[in-house]
Amino acid sequence: MIPYGKQNISGDDIEAVVEVLKSDFLTQGPVVPLFEKKVKEYVGVPYAYAVSSATAGLHIACLSLGVGPGDLVWTSPISFVASANCALYCGAQIDFVDIDPISYNMSVPSLETKLALAEKSGKLPKVVIPVHLAGQSCDMLEIRRLSEKYGFRVIEDASHAIGGEFKSSKIGSCEYSDITVFSFHPVKIITTGEGGMVTTKDANLAEKLYRLRSHGITRDPKEMTTQPDGSWYYQQIELGYNYRLTDIQAALGYSQMNRLDIFVNKRHEIFQKYSELLSDIDIVKPCLNEEGKSSLHLYIIRLRQNNKLKISRNELFERLRLGGVFVNIHYIPIYRQPFFSQFHFNWDDFPESEKYYSESITLPMYPDLTYSDLEYIKKCLITPIGHQTLF
Ligand SMILES: *Cc1c(COP(=O)(O)O)cnc(C)c1O
């Protein structure tokens, strides 16, 4: 079976984890800050806090920006449900902006149109969450321009995108946003098992993110409402969570960071090989934007309705799965989820997302994918069911 994504674990990774297991601290020890420092230096940002997942990171990112009941948050419908749920956790309302037909990221013209309408009806969003789908940055320059014009804050859902760049800055530098969130789930670019990180340039937001990650507790006398009772003293000054990462996980993350550029470069090599192998097949291949560097988390193809393969998307999906190629769809538009039916979204409001959902398939993409895997995937793509042999 060839999965769509897979982690790469080295001997060094295993040793790093074992070292923590033999140490005094399994959590809240020295390794989490070391991992944070490593990510900070890599992306070029003053503050970074490791969290238990990107979902947790998105939640405290929204809270730190003051998202609450009565507020609106907008994101892309072509994302994982967590990009929308973070707003709902805060009691806010969620809405979606349709995607761009080429990059599949949030469409800037659609965002601009929707903002102009929202301004008239007095329903502007407090926060917009662009998602860097497949590791390719959204047009952050334009999104920042709109955020200044309409007064919303920006959280980058960069769950797919550590190691990527937009213009001359690394994703996570928050050059064009308030907060960036990474995921370290095993299918993503680097992994800690479960885990994530939030980054920001803003000292006040950093303080809030740090507190919210651990119960809303502070040990800093400057943040306390009274003088400390003694050196043991701490105060809970708001409602926070236990969204901490363990030192065991951070050790894995730190060790994985040593190979981040290698991982991304391998993904680019695989991308090139796919381009060559699939050049004569009538599918729409992913388009790389010149304005940055994608971390290439996913390799998404589209199959047009009257394609020369003479096959429907669903048939091709089943053909690949039957052949042992564990393709996937990223994503089912979030508004289609049964839980979201209570918000009465009109699917026709998102024509590009609907079209994308009916045409897309995610092919396998991970550093250890071999050339013979790719040749096998191509064979499955073009060989009718019944003519295939399992590899
Ligand atoms: C994976 C993912 C998340 C959630 O990440 P977790 O670390 O599993 O919580 C959020 N948004 C997007 C776009 C993702 O792909």
Side-chain angles (χ1 to χ4, degrees):
M1 200 264 285
I2 304 176
Y4 83 83
K6 193 179 174 191
Q7 71 276 14
N8 168 292
I9 301 294
S10 69
D12 284 350
D13 290 345
I14 293 167
E15 248 177 63
V17 171
V18 169
E19 213 173 291
V20 172
L21 289 172
K22 290 177 178 167
S23 77
D24 290 338
F25 296 97
L26 300 188
T27 193
Q28 295 183 280
V31 189
V32 166
L34 285 175
F35 178 37
E36 291 168 345
K37 182 161 178 280
K38 189 138 184 129
V39 173
K40 271 190 280 196
E41 285 170 1
Y42 181 88
V43 304
V45 77
Y47 306 100
Y49 297 112
V51 284
S52 51
S53 67
T55 304
L58 287 163
H59 183 194
I60 60 172
C62 284
L63 285 175
S64 69
L65 291 170
V67 172
D71 291 328
L72 268 161
V73 173
W74 293 1
T75 189
S76 168
I78 301 301
S79 184
F80 186 54
V81 293
S83 308
N85 287 342
C86 54
L88 304 178
Y89 296 156
C90 303
Q93 260 180 289
I94 190 77
D95 201 355
F96 300 100
V97 180
D98 204 7
I99 60 165
D100 175 87
I102 309 288
S103 69
Y104 318 143
N105 279 331
M106 178 182 283
S107 154
V108 169
S110 299
L111 176 62
E112 191 151 22
T113 307
K114 199 175 170 90
L115 285 165
L117 283 171
E119 189 176 40
K120 282 192 195 125
S121 57
K123 288 183 172 167
L124 282 169
K126 181 162 203 161
V127 170
V128 173
I129 307 180
V131 180
H132 304 315
L133 190 78
Q136 171 146 276
S137 180
C138 297
D139 188 343
M140 294 310 298
L141 206 56
E142 282 295 291
I143 291 171
R144 185 177 67 176
R145 179 180 67 80
L146 291 170
S147 82
E148 284 163 0
K149 181 170 173 191
Y150 290 98
F152 59 83
R153 312 294 291 270
V154 179
I155 300 171
E156 296 174 68
D157 183 343
S159 291
H160 300 178
I162 195 166
E165 294 166 15
F166 177 68
K167 296 206 178 281
S168 54
S169 50
K170 292 272 187 210
I171 293 176
S173 65
C174 298
E175 196 64 44
Y176 308 93
S177 67
D178 295 286
I179 298 172
T180 301
V181 181
F182 294 126
S183 172
F184 307 134
H185 181 279
V187 297
K188 310 288 164 81
I189 306 289
I190 63 162
T191 190
T192 58
E194 296 280 359
M197 202 168 291
V198 291
T199 67
T200 185
K201 284 191 306 206
D202 182 313
N204 288 321
L205 286 176
E207 212 170 80
K208 285 189 195 153
L209 290 165
Y210 181 77
R211 269 202 312 266
L212 288 165
R213 176 178 71 169
S214 197
H215 309 280
I217 281 174
T218 183
R219 290 178 184 277
D220 179 354
K222 288 198 297 292
E223 293 174 22
M224 292 183 187
T225 58
T226 57
Q227 287 299 311
D229 294 348
S231 61
W232 66 86
Y233 197 63
Y234 60 84
Q235 276 189 347
Q236 184 190 346
I237 57 171
E238 64 188 319
L239 185 62
Y241 301 83
N242 179 353
Y243 281 166
R244 294 187 305 262
L245 196 74
T246 66
D247 271 36
I248 306 168
Q249 293 167 299
L252 179 55
Y254 185 94
S255 181
Q256 291 254 309
M257 277 301 289
N258 290 329
R259 304 200 300 293
L260 173 55
D261 286 338
I262 295 173
F263 289 159
V264 173
N265 290 339
K266 284 284 292 213
R267 289 170 179 273
H268 277 266
E269 280 169 29
I270 292 162
F271 184 93
Q272 285 310 324
K273 287 177 192 157
Y274 260 133
S275 302
E276 290 155 23
L277 275 171
L278 305 182
S279 63
D280 56 345
I281 301 180
D282 186 24
I283 50 172
V284 182
K285 287 166 269 300
C287 207
L288 289 190
N289 190 323
E290 314 264 285
E291 289 211 303
K293 179 178 183 185
S294 173
S295 59
L296 284 175
H297 168 51
L298 302 171
Y299 192 89
I300 300 169
I301 60 165
R302 284 175 74 159
L303 193 66
R304 298 284 183 215
Q305 248 126 41
N306 294 314
N307 59 78
K308 297 196 187 97
L309 291 168
K310 299 204 183 342
I311 190 170
S312 74
R313 193 281 307 269
N314 292 7
E315 287 164 345
L316 185 61
F317 188 94
E318 293 309 328
R319 178 197 279 185
L320 285 158
R321 283 241 174 147
L322 275 171
V325 181
F326 209 78
V327 287
N328 223 319
I329 308 273
H330 292 93
Y331 290 89
I332 306 161
I334 299 172
Y335 54 74
R336 279 179 167 252
Q337 296 295 345
F339 178 78
F340 287 77
S341 65
Q342 63 187 298
F343 308 123
H344 305 291
F345 287 108
N346 180 358
W347 298 1
D348 297 337
D349 289 345
F350 311 100
E352 292 299 339
S353 301
E354 285 296 298
K355 196 157 183 289
Y356 168 88
Y357 178 51
S358 69
E359 295 180 350
S360 66
I361 297 181
T362 305
L363 297 184
M365 171 57 100
Y366 51 90
D368 293 332
L369 207 56
T370 64
Y371 194 71
S372 62
D373 289 335
L374 295 174
E375 283 181 318
Y376 178 76
I377 292 162
K378 175 178 181 173
K379 195 173 114 201
C380 283
L381 264 170
I382 57 178
T383 314
I385 287 173
H387 298 268
Q388 284 172 351
T389 46
L390 274 174
F391 59 106

